[in-house]
Amino acid sequence: MTTTTYQQPNTHGYYGKFGGAFIPEMLHRNVEELRSKYLDIIYDPAFQKEYKALLHDYVGRPSPLYYAKRLSEQYGTQIYLKREDLCHTGSHKLNNALGQILLAERLGKKRIIAETGAGQHGVATATVCALKGVECIVYMGEKDIERQAPNVARMKMLGATVIPAVSGSKTLKDATNEAIRDWINNPVDTHYIIGSVVGPHPYPDMVARFQSIISEEIRWQLKEQTGSELPSHVIACVGGGSNAAGAFYHFLEEPGVQLVAVEASGHGVHSGMSAATTQLGKPGVLHGSKSLVMQTEDGQVVEPHSISAGLDYPGIGPLHANLYDSGRGLFLSATDEDALQAAFNLAKKEGIIPALESSHALAGLEMLSPVTAKKSEAPIPAKAMFTKESTVVVCLSGRGDKDMATYMKAMEGK
Amino acid sequence: MNRIQELFKQKKNNILNVYCTAGYPQLNSTVPVMKALQDSGVDMIELGMPYSDPLADGPVIQASSTQALANGMTIATLFEQLRGFRQQIYVPVVLMGYMNPILQYGFERFCQDAADMPIDGLILPDLPEYEFETEYGPIMQRYGLNFIFLVTPETSEERIRRLDSLSTGFLYAVSSSSTTGKDKDMNAVNNYLQKLQDMKLKNPVLVGFGIKDKATFQQACEHANGAIIGTAFIKALENTSDIAGTTKKFITDIKS
């Protein structure tokens, strides 16, 4: 047996009890091709050279690690924001889409498909396809197309075809089903760019590696700014979990770093309108891997709710399910209202309008700060609370432009 | 030896296996549809257990699953409906479904209940061979359930041999790499089926995906032991109030 670490799955794609590749035979060739080649391709020097150059010149990396002085004063600790919101296209999603388009090119694929919920990953995929002149098809739930019109327009302007997913609940999970079906029906020339650390092995590991640039930068940036490369806390929001996987990655095997994942609890964990998968989910199989899944007693996948379309997913990546199951990660949840408050707070305190997804991570500050000590649905061990000397890194995964309609509605209500 | 092995011993060619969704078109249609299929002369029945996210199925079968779930179908309800069904259904029955609902029901409990009915075999498209060998296969074997793997035109010869060695009952040849219900280029399909035939596999081969009428059924049977029809039959059931009559007509058109 190969040993599993928090960071890397074993040869069959398992992080502890979670992961694997639960796929129909029709996908075997594609997934096996990817599994047998992805590491060699990614770590080829020519690949790394092109990827790093584009991360620098096109994405705009390294993204700043910004010491948030007024936020630090408010919460009585030292807070740094990892500014993924400043990446091209407005979020961390481009790190992965860029890596995968370079990989697809080396696999000789001529056609790209992707799923998207809020549209951020769809925009990132459409962007890299435009960059490489490759056909791009994005599956998006019919309901999400209505809710996220500006991102649909962006994808179209970038030359992508947006196909509505009309099956099931017509949201992200159904868009993912449709993308997988497309891949089954186009087994030779097509690469599927999954946007999160979900899906069959090797996707969770591959996406985590492409997003790991986030924590790679945090380490040296923190060293430059504080003299130590290890923070006390890293906080990130989790839907499927790609920005969290990237922000945690190089700290997973550092037991002194408290990893905090904040899920979206919508109207409240037990309201029936929630997306807090670790609180509500049970082990199951969704979209090709074994993980925690929100489902009925009969094993039918349920529709989650969050004000943030990017966290509105009934599963969670197997890497995160293992962090939850093993206790390595602390899993908190923030309601729609908590996230809105955190967004308005950051805007006023630091002049940064965050994405609704990232606002959930910011809402975690309220619960971990001894100054505010907001009550958390999940118990917080005393040693996880901030002190004045704590070095807290929050992954600000995206910017809030796409959420202005929601923010405007919230302002009218006040 | 169960009903599947018995069937292939008796009959080597033109085996007609028809798929239906449990709880469709009405919750209590399950056994009446199976009875109508048997009375119309089908050799085997593939009974689908509805799931909210059926990756390997096309839109028609997914829609029937969605309808069946809305009708209230669950695994527990299905086993209630099937209790005693062997008093009237004697053809082999394989259950087709996805892992997640079965894991919630409890995998061993599921196999035990399926064997009690008795059901003859299982098709679980999202159960891969690694998990089959290490965890789930031995449980199915303990309860005497056949397990049928799928192969596709993209499956290598070495892998076909391997999946054939793991399968019991029959091997399910997907006619092209695609979800159910899409039209296929029958020439490419013929070449692929010829290849399977020439490999002289351990198991009988039934062809599925894209078989919809007499012509496609006969073509598939030229190179295989038989074929499986799903989407076309579900479509036929869509707006019917006469399950027996509709089924009779559908099957007669294929077999005539």
Side-chain angles (χ1 to χ4, degrees), chain B residues 48-67:
Chain B
M49 299 177 287
Y51 177 45
S52 55
D53 297 78
L55 289 181
D57 290 307
V60 173
I61 290 183
Q62 172 160 20
S64 74
S65 291
T66 305
Q67 181 61 51

PDB file of all heavy atoms in Angstrom, chain B residues 48-67:
ATOM      1  N   GLY B  48     -34.137  -0.730 -14.100  1.00  0.00           N
ATOM      2  CA  GLY B  48     -33.358   0.420 -13.639  1.00  0.00           C
ATOM      3  C   GLY B  48     -33.878   0.975 -12.324  1.00  0.00           C
ATOM      4  O   GLY B  48     -35.078   1.148 -12.143  1.00  0.00           O
ATOM      5  N   MET B  49     -32.949   1.226 -11.408  1.00  0.00           N
ATOM      6  CA  MET B  49     -33.310   1.864 -10.138  1.00  0.00           C
ATOM      7  C   MET B  49     -33.027   3.354 -10.275  1.00  0.00           C
ATOM      8  O   MET B  49     -31.876   3.750 -10.492  1.00  0.00           O
ATOM      9  CB  MET B  49     -32.485   1.253  -9.005  1.00  0.00           C
ATOM     10  CG  MET B  49     -32.718  -0.235  -8.842  1.00  0.00           C
ATOM     11  SD  MET B  49     -31.660  -0.941  -7.547  1.00  0.00           S
ATOM     12  CE  MET B  49     -30.060  -0.911  -8.374  1.00  0.00           C
ATOM     13  N   PRO B  50     -34.049   4.194 -10.171  1.00  0.00           N
ATOM     14  CA  PRO B  50     -33.857   5.611 -10.492  1.00  0.00           C
ATOM     15  C   PRO B  50     -32.891   6.324  -9.546  1.00  0.00           C
ATOM     16  O   PRO B  50     -32.848   6.043  -8.360  1.00  0.00           O
ATOM     17  CB  PRO B  50     -35.268   6.195 -10.376  1.00  0.00           C
ATOM     18  CG  PRO B  50     -36.031   5.236  -9.539  1.00  0.00           C
ATOM     19  CD  PRO B  50     -35.425   3.893  -9.771  1.00  0.00           C
ATOM     20  N   TYR B  51     -32.126   7.235 -10.126  1.00  0.00           N
ATOM     21  CA  TYR B  51     -31.153   8.030  -9.374  1.00  0.00           C
ATOM     22  C   TYR B  51     -31.206   9.468  -9.883  1.00  0.00           C
ATOM     23  O   TYR B  51     -31.466   9.699 -11.060  1.00  0.00           O
ATOM     24  CB  TYR B  51     -29.746   7.421  -9.575  1.00  0.00           C
ATOM     25  CG  TYR B  51     -28.616   8.180  -8.918  1.00  0.00           C
ATOM     26  CD1 TYR B  51     -28.734   8.654  -7.605  1.00  0.00           C
ATOM     27  CD2 TYR B  51     -27.417   8.430  -9.594  1.00  0.00           C
ATOM     28  CE1 TYR B  51     -27.692   9.338  -7.002  1.00  0.00           C
ATOM     29  CE2 TYR B  51     -26.364   9.103  -8.993  1.00  0.00           C
ATOM     30  CZ  TYR B  51     -26.508   9.565  -7.702  1.00  0.00           C
ATOM     31  OH  TYR B  51     -25.475  10.245  -7.112  1.00  0.00           O
ATOM     32  N   SER B  52     -30.950  10.384  -8.990  1.00  0.00           N
ATOM     33  CA  SER B  52     -31.037  11.806  -9.339  1.00  0.00           C
ATOM     34  C   SER B  52     -29.960  12.238 -10.334  1.00  0.00           C
ATOM     35  O   SER B  52     -30.156  13.207 -11.056  1.00  0.00           O
ATOM     36  CB  SER B  52     -30.926  12.665  -8.074  1.00  0.00           C
ATOM     37  OG  SER B  52     -29.736  12.356  -7.355  1.00  0.00           O
ATOM     38  N   ASP B  53     -28.836  11.543 -10.368  1.00  0.00           N
ATOM     39  CA  ASP B  53     -27.711  11.994 -11.197  1.00  0.00           C
ATOM     40  C   ASP B  53     -27.120  10.852 -12.035  1.00  0.00           C
ATOM     41  O   ASP B  53     -25.962  10.487 -11.865  1.00  0.00           O
ATOM     42  CB  ASP B  53     -26.628  12.622 -10.307  1.00  0.00           C
ATOM     43  CG  ASP B  53     -27.143  13.867  -9.596  1.00  0.00           C
ATOM     44  OD1 ASP B  53     -27.871  13.714  -8.590  1.00  0.00           O
ATOM     45  OD2 ASP B  53     -26.851  14.972 -10.061  1.00  0.00           O
ATOM     46  N   PRO B  54     -27.935  10.300 -12.958  1.00  0.00           N
ATOM     47  CA  PRO B  54     -27.503   9.116 -13.718  1.00  0.00           C
ATOM     48  C   PRO B  54     -26.577   9.458 -14.879  1.00  0.00           C
ATOM     49  O   PRO B  54     -27.014   9.674 -15.996  1.00  0.00           O
ATOM     50  CB  PRO B  54     -28.826   8.542 -14.236  1.00  0.00           C
ATOM     51  CG  PRO B  54     -29.720   9.746 -14.391  1.00  0.00           C
ATOM     52  CD  PRO B  54     -29.281  10.762 -13.362  1.00  0.00           C
ATOM     53  N   LEU B  55     -25.268   9.461 -14.599  1.00  0.00           N
ATOM     54  CA  LEU B  55     -24.254   9.923 -15.557  1.00  0.00           C
ATOM     55  C   LEU B  55     -24.224   9.171 -16.873  1.00  0.00           C
ATOM     56  O   LEU B  55     -23.933   9.748 -17.916  1.00  0.00           O
ATOM     57  CB  LEU B  55     -22.866   9.754 -14.928  1.00  0.00           C
ATOM     58  CG  LEU B  55     -22.525  10.682 -13.804  1.00  0.00           C
ATOM     59  CD1 LEU B  55     -21.115  10.389 -13.322  1.00  0.00           C
ATOM     60  CD2 LEU B  55     -22.628  12.106 -14.291  1.00  0.00           C
ATOM     61  N   ALA B  56     -24.490   7.859 -16.825  1.00  0.00           N
ATOM     62  CA  ALA B  56     -24.306   7.050 -18.029  1.00  0.00           C
ATOM     63  C   ALA B  56     -25.570   6.991 -18.877  1.00  0.00           C
ATOM     64  O   ALA B  56     -25.577   6.352 -19.919  1.00  0.00           O
ATOM     65  CB  ALA B  56     -23.851   5.641 -17.650  1.00  0.00           C
ATOM     66  N   ASP B  57     -26.631   7.628 -18.432  1.00  0.00           N
ATOM     67  CA  ASP B  57     -27.889   7.571 -19.177  1.00  0.00           C
ATOM     68  C   ASP B  57     -28.147   8.854 -19.939  1.00  0.00           C
ATOM     69  O   ASP B  57     -27.736   9.927 -19.524  1.00  0.00           O
ATOM     70  CB  ASP B  57     -29.050   7.311 -18.221  1.00  0.00           C
ATOM     71  CG  ASP B  57     -29.009   5.899 -17.669  1.00  0.00           C
ATOM     72  OD1 ASP B  57     -28.943   4.958 -18.469  1.00  0.00           O
ATOM     73  OD2 ASP B  57     -29.019   5.743 -16.438  1.00  0.00           O
ATOM     74  N   GLY B  58     -28.856   8.713 -21.035  1.00  0.00           N
ATOM     75  CA  GLY B  58     -29.239   9.872 -21.828  1.00  0.00           C
ATOM     76  C   GLY B  58     -30.489  10.532 -21.265  1.00  0.00           C
ATOM     77  O   GLY B  58     -31.052  10.091 -20.261  1.00  0.00           O
ATOM     78  N   PRO B  59     -30.943  11.596 -21.928  1.00  0.00           N
ATOM     79  CA  PRO B  59     -32.057  12.408 -21.405  1.00  0.00           C
ATOM     80  C   PRO B  59     -33.377  11.649 -21.232  1.00  0.00           C
ATOM     81  O   PRO B  59     -34.109  11.933 -20.287  1.00  0.00           O
ATOM     82  CB  PRO B  59     -32.196  13.531 -22.435  1.00  0.00           C
ATOM     83  CG  PRO B  59     -31.271  13.234 -23.554  1.00  0.00           C
ATOM     84  CD  PRO B  59     -30.318  12.177 -23.120  1.00  0.00           C
ATOM     85  N   VAL B  60     -33.666  10.684 -22.124  1.00  0.00           N
ATOM     86  CA  VAL B  60     -34.973   9.995 -22.035  1.00  0.00           C
ATOM     87  C   VAL B  60     -35.030   9.130 -20.772  1.00  0.00           C
ATOM     88  O   VAL B  60     -36.003   9.177 -20.007  1.00  0.00           O
ATOM     89  CB  VAL B  60     -35.225   9.136 -23.296  1.00  0.00           C
ATOM     90  CG1 VAL B  60     -36.479   8.291 -23.133  1.00  0.00           C
ATOM     91  CG2 VAL B  60     -35.332  10.031 -24.533  1.00  0.00           C
ATOM     92  N   ILE B  61     -33.969   8.360 -20.544  1.00  0.00           N
ATOM     93  CA  ILE B  61     -33.960   7.499 -19.359  1.00  0.00           C
ATOM     94  C   ILE B  61     -33.827   8.346 -18.087  1.00  0.00           C
ATOM     95  O   ILE B  61     -34.466   8.074 -17.075  1.00  0.00           O
ATOM     96  CB  ILE B  61     -32.851   6.423 -19.478  1.00  0.00           C
ATOM     97  CG1 ILE B  61     -33.278   5.427 -20.576  1.00  0.00           C
ATOM     98  CG2 ILE B  61     -32.642   5.702 -18.148  1.00  0.00           C
ATOM     99  CD1 ILE B  61     -32.338   4.268 -20.783  1.00  0.00           C
ATOM    100  N   GLN B  62     -33.031   9.416 -18.149  1.00  0.00           N
ATOM    101  CA  GLN B  62     -32.969  10.296 -16.977  1.00  0.00           C
ATOM    102  C   GLN B  62     -34.350  10.878 -16.663  1.00  0.00           C
ATOM    103  O   GLN B  62     -34.751  10.937 -15.503  1.00  0.00           O
ATOM    104  CB  GLN B  62     -31.961  11.439 -17.150  1.00  0.00           C
ATOM    105  CG  GLN B  62     -32.079  12.439 -15.971  1.00  0.00           C
ATOM    106  CD  GLN B  62     -30.876  13.326 -15.755  1.00  0.00           C
ATOM    107  OE1 GLN B  62     -30.062  13.506 -16.644  1.00  0.00           O
ATOM    108  NE2 GLN B  62     -30.756  13.867 -14.562  1.00  0.00           N
ATOM    109  N   ALA B  63     -35.069  11.293 -17.698  1.00  0.00           N
ATOM    110  CA  ALA B  63     -36.407  11.855 -17.458  1.00  0.00           C
ATOM    111  C   ALA B  63     -37.319  10.809 -16.817  1.00  0.00           C
ATOM    112  O   ALA B  63     -38.127  11.126 -15.934  1.00  0.00           O
ATOM    113  CB  ALA B  63     -36.993  12.363 -18.776  1.00  0.00           C
ATOM    114  N   SER B  64     -37.183   9.547 -17.244  1.00  0.00           N
ATOM    115  CA  SER B  64     -38.009   8.498 -16.630  1.00  0.00           C
ATOM    116  C   SER B  64     -37.605   8.285 -15.171  1.00  0.00           C
ATOM    117  O   SER B  64     -38.450   8.019 -14.309  1.00  0.00           O
ATOM    118  CB  SER B  64     -37.905   7.180 -17.424  1.00  0.00           C
ATOM    119  OG  SER B  64     -36.653   6.543 -17.213  1.00  0.00           O
ATOM    120  N   SER B  65     -36.313   8.440 -14.878  1.00  0.00           N
ATOM    121  CA  SER B  65     -35.835   8.321 -13.495  1.00  0.00           C
ATOM    122  C   SER B  65     -36.381   9.458 -12.640  1.00  0.00           C
ATOM    123  O   SER B  65     -36.824   9.248 -11.514  1.00  0.00           O
ATOM    124  CB  SER B  65     -34.305   8.365 -13.442  1.00  0.00           C
ATOM    125  OG  SER B  65     -33.770   7.205 -14.019  1.00  0.00           O
ATOM    126  N   THR B  66     -36.318  10.658 -13.198  1.00  0.00           N
ATOM    127  CA  THR B  66     -36.828  11.826 -12.476  1.00  0.00           C
ATOM    128  C   THR B  66     -38.313  11.629 -12.163  1.00  0.00           C
ATOM    129  O   THR B  66     -38.778  11.903 -11.051  1.00  0.00           O
ATOM    130  CB  THR B  66     -36.620  13.105 -13.321  1.00  0.00           C
ATOM    131  OG1 THR B  66     -35.233  13.187 -13.663  1.00  0.00           O
ATOM    132  CG2 THR B  66     -37.036  14.345 -12.568  1.00  0.00           C
ATOM    133  N   GLN B  67     -39.058  11.114 -13.180  1.00  0.00           N
ATOM    134  CA  GLN B  67     -40.493  10.849 -12.985  1.00  0.00           C
ATOM    135  C   GLN B  67     -40.696   9.775 -11.910  1.00  0.00           C
ATOM    136  O   GLN B  67     -41.529   9.919 -11.014  1.00  0.00           O
ATOM    137  CB  GLN B  67     -41.112  10.400 -14.312  1.00  0.00           C
ATOM    138  CG  GLN B  67     -42.604  10.121 -14.235  1.00  0.00           C
ATOM    139  CD  GLN B  67     -43.389  11.367 -13.841  1.00  0.00           C
ATOM    140  OE1 GLN B  67     -43.221  12.434 -14.443  1.00  0.00           O
ATOM    141  NE2 GLN B  67     -44.233  11.264 -12.808  1.00  0.00           N
TER     142      GLN B  67
END
